[in-house]
Amino acid sequence: MSSIKQVLSKDMVGKKVQLRGWIYRTRSSGGIVFAVLRDATGIIQVTVKKGNVPDHDFEDAAKAAIESSVMIEGEVAEDKRAPGGFEVRASRFTVVGFSEPFPITEYQSTELLLDQRHLWIRSREQNAVAKVKAALLKGARDWFHENDYVEVTPPIVTAVAPEDSTTLFQIKYFDRIAYLSQSAQFYLESLIFSLEKVYSLTPSFRAEKSRTPRHLAEYWHMEMEAAWMDNEGNMEVQEQLVTAMLQNAVKECPMELQLLKRDPATLRKIEPPFERMKYQEAMDYLQSKGQDVRWGSDLGAIEERTITVDKQLPVFIVNYPKELKPFYMKENPEDPRTYKNSDLLAPEGYGEIIGGSERETDNARMIAWLEEKGENMDNYKWYLDLRKYGSVPHSGFGLGIERIVTWVCKLDHIRDAIPYPRTVARVYP
Ligand code: ATP
Ligand code: MG
């Protein structure tokens, strides 16, 4: 048995091959059926000529609708008119599973494609996105392991909210209330006291009520935390990690990127260092572009788009005002109105893909902040313990996997960066 990718090559011309897959397109004309077959690796035309295959095979080929699963045998030939330049001239054509009329045809509404997601994920675009995503994840994992980070497995069911408590999903947990994790950060922080450099890949849950093209209710979150690291070291890890992810996608998925209309050359050019732009500079730049922002304005999709639309490389925005970020970030001694933190924005208008910071180590400051916000201190007791027993400077960040996929695959909407998007409107299929 061969894969379609293996068969699409000059060396294969004249060879006998066996393939299996699904009918992607089919038409017949006179005594010939032209069936385009797809498998995990690509598509190829199969011509089934009456008389060249058993009669029964020809009848089945003529009536098999798209998405029928088939096994074929035949000889590879060059054919300029066929997609990919090659075809297989069948000597056998066996239908394994006939397909009912497929509910997805060309030009379907977004809603229908979401209703039929379990079938739409068979599309070539979704196939390509899934492979690019896997290559990005592998690039990240390889980078972490080469750099002595330990992959850890933090809990998903939690009692506290590291991020915005208004976006927590509450669950019934036996006879108590618990929450789905928004971030593994606190747990990763606890693990650096024995492992020093850790990372995790987990789903994070955010009850994002606003419908934006870059927010999911459930997304895959790659987070890292490292002892003895300041925020500059943290940014260096981010630029190296992102570069390693992109390089692996370019290496493993050049065809998939092209299918998605992403020129791999634009990704190949991306390497450290990435520009560092102070929050204040970002405000000045946005004002120069006529946007109504001032010190204390948050950067949303529009602002991030303005900053990055003409950029070829990602850019760090550093030192946000404290009022825009959570309590666990470390104050910037050079400007105490701000934190030692950064958001990494993807170029071409895509915007935030990573949020990171050096962490506060002074419990008194964190307690004052939590009290001011009226938080229940019992929930944070264990977290505050971490600063009591051999506290060390440390930093970390969270990278939204679907955000980086959206950028790399040039998607219009983050929902296409995940097979089953969870949003305010949808938990089915
Ligand atoms: P945003 O301002 O875009 O809502 P955030 O500041 O809430 O992001 P963080 O809490 O710093 O984001 O989370 C770390 C990373 O997780 C972000 O940089 C982003 O890549 C990703 N992320 C956050 N929220 C979502 C979401 N709802 N869907 C997909 N990815 C997300
Ligand atoms: Mg958010």
Side-chain angles (χ1 to χ4, degrees):
M1 197 64 63
S2 307
S3 71
I4 288 174
K5 194 176 177 178
Q6 290 168 334
V7 170
L8 287 171
S9 115
K10 266 206 162 37
D11 315 340
M12 297 298 288
V13 172
K15 298 233 164 76
K16 247 190 142 26
V17 293
Q18 291 181 312
L19 289 172
R20 58 187 168 198
W22 292 262
I23 298 178
Y24 179 67
R25 273 199 302 264
T26 182
R27 69 186 170 86
S28 57
S29 130
I32 310 186
V33 174
F34 299 92
V36 177
L37 216 67
R38 65 166 180 82
D39 71 3
T41 67
I43 61 170
I44 195 167
Q45 177 167 293
V46 179
T47 50
V48 194
K49 212 178 196 165
K50 203 176 165 105
N52 286 359
V53 294
D55 287 349
H56 170 264
D57 284 20
F58 185 79
E59 283 156 26
D60 280 358
K63 73 174 187 236
I66 61 165
E67 293 306 317
S68 299
S69 49
V70 299
M71 280 165 62
I72 65 120
E73 282 174 32
E75 196 177 297
V76 184
E78 227 170 334
D79 187 326
K80 296 245 152 23
R81 293 158 301 176
F86 299 94
E87 66 170 15
V88 177
R89 299 187 177 146
S91 51
R92 289 299 315 264
F93 191 100
T94 312
V95 176
V96 178
F98 280 100
S99 176
E100 292 182 21
F102 202 56
I104 302 175
T105 52
E106 244 176 312
Y107 310 116
Q108 294 289 1
S109 73
T110 306
E111 277 308 298
L112 181 132
L113 294 181
L114 286 167
D115 287 339
Q116 303 287 353
R117 193 71 175 183
H118 53 300
L119 302 175
W120 176 239
I121 50 173
R122 300 180 181 192
S123 67
R124 297 192 76 206
E125 293 76 14
Q126 283 287 303
N127 169 299
V129 170
K131 286 190 203 161
V132 171
K133 190 176 196 175
L136 290 168
L137 287 172
K138 176 160 191 302
R141 282 209 166 96
D142 287 349
W143 188 89
F144 276 127
H145 286 275
E146 277 157 25
N147 287 277
D148 300 323
Y149 284 75
V150 178
E151 182 167 8
V152 295
T153 55
I156 301 299
V157 177
T158 65
V160 290
E163 302 298 328
D164 178 3
S165 60
T166 62
T167 62
L168 275 176
F169 279 108
Q170 190 176 302
I171 58 165
K172 192 171 163 302
Y173 187 70
F174 302 106
D175 49 6
R176 263 171 301 166
I177 280 167
Y179 305 101
L180 295 178
S181 171
Q182 295 175 308
S183 162
Q185 179 193 321
F186 290 175
Y187 295 98
L188 298 192
E189 282 187 73
S190 71
L191 286 156
I192 63 164
F193 295 91
S194 78
L195 298 167
E196 297 193 27
K197 301 201 285 185
V198 298
Y199 79 96
S200 63
L201 177 64
T202 62
S204 273
F205 298 87
R206 311 246 174 138
E208 310 273 9
K209 286 188 198 77
S210 55
R211 299 168 195 231
T212 81
R214 56 184 211 163
H215 288 95
L216 293 164
E218 177 186 37
Y219 70 96
W220 286 83
H221 204 173
M222 186 160 252
E223 293 172 270
M224 90 86 185
E225 201 68 34
W228 317 109
M229 188 177 279
D230 64 10
N231 199 48
E232 182 52 38
N234 194 21
M235 290 191 283
E236 285 165 17
V237 171
Q238 292 168 51
E239 53 192 11
Q240 288 176 40
L241 176 73
V242 168
T243 302
M245 294 171 82
L246 302 186
Q247 298 314 323
N248 198 54
V250 168
K251 188 179 109 200
E252 290 187 7
C253 299
M255 302 305 287
E256 288 76 10
L257 290 167
Q258 252 142 23
L259 187 138
L260 295 162
K261 304 199 166 56
R262 159 63 72 194
D263 178 1
T266 60
L267 301 179
R268 222 176 276 122
K269 280 194 223 124
I270 293 174
E271 53 176 46
F274 301 164
E275 180 185 347
R276 278 104 167 115
M277 185 191 272
K278 284 215 162 75
Y279 171 85
Q280 178 64 66
E281 292 165 346
M283 287 299 123
D284 295 344
Y285 180 74
L286 289 168
Q287 281 169 0
S288 79
K289 292 281 170 182
Q291 293 198 5
D292 182 22
V293 291
R294 62 199 58 78
W295 184 265
S297 299
D298 205 355
L299 299 182
I302 294 167
E303 293 77 20
E304 291 181 5
R305 182 170 177 79
T306 307
I307 294 170
T308 63
V309 72
D310 296 322
K311 299 226 184 282
Q312 306 302 311
L313 258 57
V315 46
F316 286 108
I317 310 294
V318 300
N319 304 135
Y320 282 69
K322 287 176 172 172
E323 59 267 33
L324 295 178
K325 295 287 173 185
F327 73 99
Y328 52 70
M329 296 188 175
K330 187 156 190 73
E331 183 178 284
N332 174 18
E334 284 160 25
D335 180 355
R337 295 176 304 164
T338 66
Y339 282 134
K340 286 175 87 175
N341 82 311
S342 59
D343 279 357
L344 182 63
L345 312 186
E348 304 169 12
Y350 285 95
E352 180 177 340
I353 53 173
I354 300 183
S357 70
E358 189 168 330
R359 313 308 192 188
E360 180 58 82
T361 46
D362 181 346
N363 264 356
R365 281 171 189 258
M366 293 203 288
I367 290 167
W369 193 98
L370 288 166
E371 277 174 348
E372 195 189 308
K373 293 277 163 191
E375 293 282 337
N376 178 356
M377 294 312 262
D378 290 347
N379 287 338
Y380 294 90
K381 192 177 164 301
W382 75 266
Y383 181 65
L384 297 169
D385 268 356
L386 304 180
R387 274 64 172 168
K388 289 195 211 160
Y389 305 105
S391 186
V392 287
H394 63 287
S395 299
F397 62 81
L399 182 165
I401 295 296
E402 287 76 19
R403 293 271 180 101
I404 194 167
V405 169
T406 302
W407 160 43
V408 169
C409 295
K410 291 188 98 156
L411 305 176
D412 295 333
H413 200 295
I414 196 168
R415 65 176 163 238
D416 287 324
I418 191 162
Y420 291 97
R422 296 295 178 239
T423 59
V424 67
R426 198 168 276 281
V427 284
Y428 175 95

